[in-house]
Amino acid sequence: MNLRLGTRGSALATAQAGQFADAVVAAGAQQGVEVSVELVTVTTKGDVDKGSLVGLSQTGVFVTALREALLADECDFVVHSLKDMPTAPFDGLETVAIPEREDPRDVLCTEGETLEELPHGARVGTGSPRRAAQLLALRPDLEVVPIRGNVDTRLGKVGEELDGVVLAAAGLNRLGRGAEATESLSVDRMVPAPGQGALAVEIRSDAAPALRDLLGSLDHADTRAAVTAERSALATLEAGCAAPVAAYGTVARGRLTLHTRVIGADGRLALNERNIGVPSEAASLGRSSGYSLLGRGAERLMRST
């Protein structure tokens, strides 16, 4: 079986695609099938547009070109960072696998200081309104600076233009650079983005059964349940990446726990919702969380961004 995997061309995207390709080859070997995977690089709008993504309709900015390449039969499957994916279904495609999640936490990268140790008025960079709002909730004195760019670009600003940057632990780990994080921020202090740390593997709806079975064998049920709840809450709130909405689900002993948070842009006000259910009702749990937050004024907080 000779397969083509569509991916963005960034170092992080190709690293995570390459790691998943290795997992596909290994899964094939376990099933007695010889598999090869070729990476097909696709340029997306998010790779070309160097301005701020906040306020663009950022939803789908990193995934649309990959999906179009898949529908055009330029590749057999694609791998996305799940947090970049729109919550609405996409005609002709389906998510066949969500592999086991990487570390979902955010991390602070500085020249050695923890968040508490940074000096008054320190400049901390992030391109995420969710991270910015939660940073200000923890340290109202910080100057949060909007930044874009790959991991190298962002880390290169530390000690030059900035006192620190906040990145996803999963990205650093996939690049083999996890040791460059100064401090891991707990999921209670800095609730992750819905789907953070998880990948999504898409195929065409008419994909061959052999391909569907091979990729589907790499699905991780607990991760799928957790991120389904997170993304269901996000969809109910009708919030995109420009809104400071966070959600994190976990599965333990047959129970799914979901923590959803909506934060005002300045970090001074936040609404939290915690729900517990069963993994098979993940989407319903997420919707309940979202509706509860809307009933408590979440829309007003999101409009304050």
Side-chain angles (χ1 to χ4, degrees), residues 192-267:
Q196 183 159 309
L199 302 178
V201 183
E202 281 191 317
I203 56 173
R204 292 184 295 276
S205 300
D206 62 356
L211 176 61
R212 183 184 301 276
D213 291 346
L214 175 63
L215 298 178
S217 69
L218 294 168
D219 190 65
H220 188 256
D222 286 353
T223 297
R224 182 180 280 269
V227 300
T228 295
E230 295 163 15
R231 286 166 55 78
S232 178
L234 182 68
T236 301
L237 290 164
E238 296 185 347
C241 299
V245 173
Y248 180 55
T250 55
V251 177
R253 296 183 292 279
R255 305 296 287 174
L256 170 59
T257 301
L258 176 65
H259 178 193
T260 311
R261 175 179 288 171
V262 177
I263 321 99
D266 60 8

Side-chain angles (χ1 to χ4, degrees), residues 80-86 95 98 194-196 198-200 227-228 231:
H80 306 289
S81 291
L82 186 58
K83 68 182 179 65
D84 294 332
M85 288 181 67
T95 300
I98 297 175
Q196 183 159 309
L199 302 178
V227 300
T228 295
R231 286 166 55 78

Side-chain angles (χ1 to χ4, degrees), residues 15-271:
Q16 65 192 25
Q19 289 159 16
F20 185 74
D22 291 342
V24 172
V25 172
Q30 288 184 338
Q31 298 174 24
V33 180
E34 185 175 343
V35 178
S36 66
V37 181
E38 171 194 0
L39 298 189
V40 177
T41 301
V42 177
T43 301
T44 74
K45 176 177 173 57
D47 298 313
V48 174
D49 192 326
K50 299 306 180 186
S52 172
L53 295 181
V54 177
L56 275 183
S57 175
Q58 173 174 5
T59 305
V61 72
F62 287 118
V63 305
T64 300
L66 285 170
R67 287 172 156 176
E68 290 172 349
L70 181 55
L71 287 171
D73 197 28
E74 295 171 16
C75 50
D76 301 301
F77 63 106
V78 295
V79 173
H80 306 289
S81 291
L82 186 58
K83 68 182 179 65
D84 294 332
M85 288 181 67
T87 54
F90 193 87
D91 286 345
L93 301 182
E94 62 185 84
T95 300
V96 68
I98 297 175
E100 186 171 6
R101 188 181 216 160
E102 244 284 6
D103 188 337
R105 293 175 296 178
D106 290 304
V107 294
L108 177 67
C109 302
T110 68
E111 292 192 298
E113 302 94 339
T114 66
L115 184 61
E116 285 72 20
E117 292 167 346
L118 284 172
H120 184 88
R123 291 165 52 85
V124 179
T126 175
S128 161
R130 172 192 61 83
R131 289 174 179 150
Q134 292 188 98
L135 279 171
L136 290 172
L138 295 167
R139 285 282 307 268
D141 62 290
L142 294 177
E143 180 183 353
V144 179
V145 180
I147 58 171
R148 276 206 65 191
N150 59 30
V151 170
D152 279 332
T153 299
R154 296 186 187 210
L155 288 175
K157 296 179 183 293
V158 177
E160 299 292 333
E161 306 170 34
L162 301 171
D163 296 291
V165 295
V166 179
L167 301 171
L172 285 180
N173 291 343
R174 287 179 176 132
L175 288 167
R177 302 180 66 173
E180 296 183 47
T182 308
E183 179 183 11
S184 294
L185 304 171
S186 76
V187 294
D188 291 319
R189 297 175 73 206
M190 179 78 74
V191 184
Q196 183 159 309
L199 302 178
V201 183
E202 281 191 317
I203 56 173
R204 292 184 295 276
S205 300
D206 62 356
L211 176 61
R212 183 184 301 276
D213 291 346
L214 175 63
L215 298 178
S217 69
L218 294 168
D219 190 65
H220 188 256
D222 286 353
T223 297
R224 182 180 280 269
V227 300
T228 295
E230 295 163 15
R231 286 166 55 78
S232 178
L234 182 68
T236 301
L237 290 164
E238 296 185 347
C241 299
V245 173
Y248 180 55
T250 55
V251 177
R253 296 183 292 279
R255 305 296 287 174
L256 170 59
T257 301
L258 176 65
H259 178 193
T260 311
R261 175 179 288 171
V262 177
I263 321 99
D266 60 8
R268 288 185 295 178
L269 293 174
L271 295 172

